[in-house]
């Protein structure tokens, strides 16, 4: 059976925490689609979406089971189009849990075939967040230890 999972997110930017979830997800799924969501009506990203596609693709160049794409629609609909029956998400803390819980309920309501699957963060990445990286980068700080590619 071909188990396809969508790993949706803003990935602004993609972090070592995200990379860890994808690589560990490969033990569970045959194929993982890293899906960068964006709002076509307003562009409020810090890192350009094309840059992220390029960097994430380069990060996983040796993994044919990992695909990187962008989307601008309901995640549940997008998953259906790509025959993905699983949504992969990461959990760092109770704040993530509260947020992920409500998203998972909505996605189930929209697409009953879709199962959300959560991996708990590895401890060394628990404090890494995209917002933290944006803040450090904005003020010229070194983020190289927090991301799996060179900016
Ligand atoms: P979104 O905008 O949809 O929350 P993000 O790009 O912030 O997307 O995160 C995508 C997924 O990765 C979410 O499930 C988030 O909880 C998870 N995640 C983010 N950072 C980490 C981390 N350091 N370790 C594990 N999971 C993480």
């Amino acid at each position: 059976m071909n188990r396809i999972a969508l790993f949706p997110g803003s990935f602004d930017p993609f972090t070592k925490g995200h990379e860890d979830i994808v690589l560990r997800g490969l033990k569970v799924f045959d194929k993982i689609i890293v899906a960068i969501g964006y709002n076509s009506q307003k562009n409020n990203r810090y890192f350009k979406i094309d840059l992220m596609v390029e960097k994430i693709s380069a990060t996983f160049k040796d993994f044919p089971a990992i695909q990187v794409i962008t989307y601008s629609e309901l995640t549940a609909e997008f998953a259906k189009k790509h025959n993905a029956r699983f949504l992969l998400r990461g959990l760092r803390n109770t704040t993530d849990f509260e947020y992920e819980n409500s998203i998972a309920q909505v996605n189930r309501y929209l697409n009953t075939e879709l199962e959300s699957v959560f991996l708990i963060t590895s401890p060394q990445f628990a404090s890494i967040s995209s917002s933290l990286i944006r803040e450090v980068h904005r003020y010229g700080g070194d983020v190289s230890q927090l991301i799996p590619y060179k900016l």
Side-chain angles (χ1 to χ4, degrees):
M1 195 159 55
N2 206 13
R3 290 179 172 268
I4 304 173
L6 202 68
F7 182 44
S10 316
F11 306 122
D12 188 22
F14 192 84
T15 72
K16 281 193 177 175
H18 294 134
E19 178 194 32
D20 175 63
I21 297 293
V22 174
L23 293 178
R24 287 165 54 210
L26 273 189
K27 295 177 195 157
V28 184
F29 303 110
D30 300 309
K31 177 178 169 183
I32 296 178
I33 303 171
V34 179
I36 313 175
Y38 70 98
N39 186 336
S40 53
Q41 302 304 311
K42 54 174 188 199
N43 184 6
N44 50 8
R45 293 183 63 91
Y46 180 83
F47 290 100
K48 288 214 163 60
I49 201 154
D50 292 348
L51 175 77
M52 256 329 109
V53 171
E54 179 195 321
K55 296 298 181 186
I56 303 170
S57 303
T59 300
F60 297 123
K61 64 179 187 324
D62 297 329
F63 296 86
I66 301 171
Q67 198 187 336
V68 184
I69 41 185
T70 64
Y71 75 107
S72 177
E73 63 185 289
L74 281 175
T75 303
E77 286 298 316
F78 190 67
K80 221 181 264 176
K81 280 184 196 160
H82 287 268
N83 297 318
R85 288 191 299 115
F86 305 94
L87 282 185
L88 175 62
R89 299 284 287 179
L91 292 177
R92 284 164 294 190
N93 47 44
T94 52
T95 310
D96 275 355
F97 173 79
E98 296 292 340
Y99 179 61
E100 296 294 338
N101 186 25
S102 48
I103 295 184
Q105 304 299 350
V106 173
N107 283 325
R108 170 178 288 273
Y109 162 75
L110 294 169
N111 177 354
T112 49
E113 296 297 302
L114 199 56
E115 284 294 348
S116 295
V117 176
F118 303 94
L119 292 183
I120 301 287
T121 184
S122 297
Q124 67 271 37
F125 304 123
S127 59
I128 299 181
S129 70
S130 296
S131 56
L132 173 100
I133 294 175
R134 288 197 298 273
E135 218 46 29
V136 173
H137 190 268
R138 199 189 306 274
Y139 294 104
D142 176 19
V143 297
S144 61
Q145 301 301 306
L146 310 173
I147 53 177
Y149 46 83
K150 283 194 173 57
L151 274 175

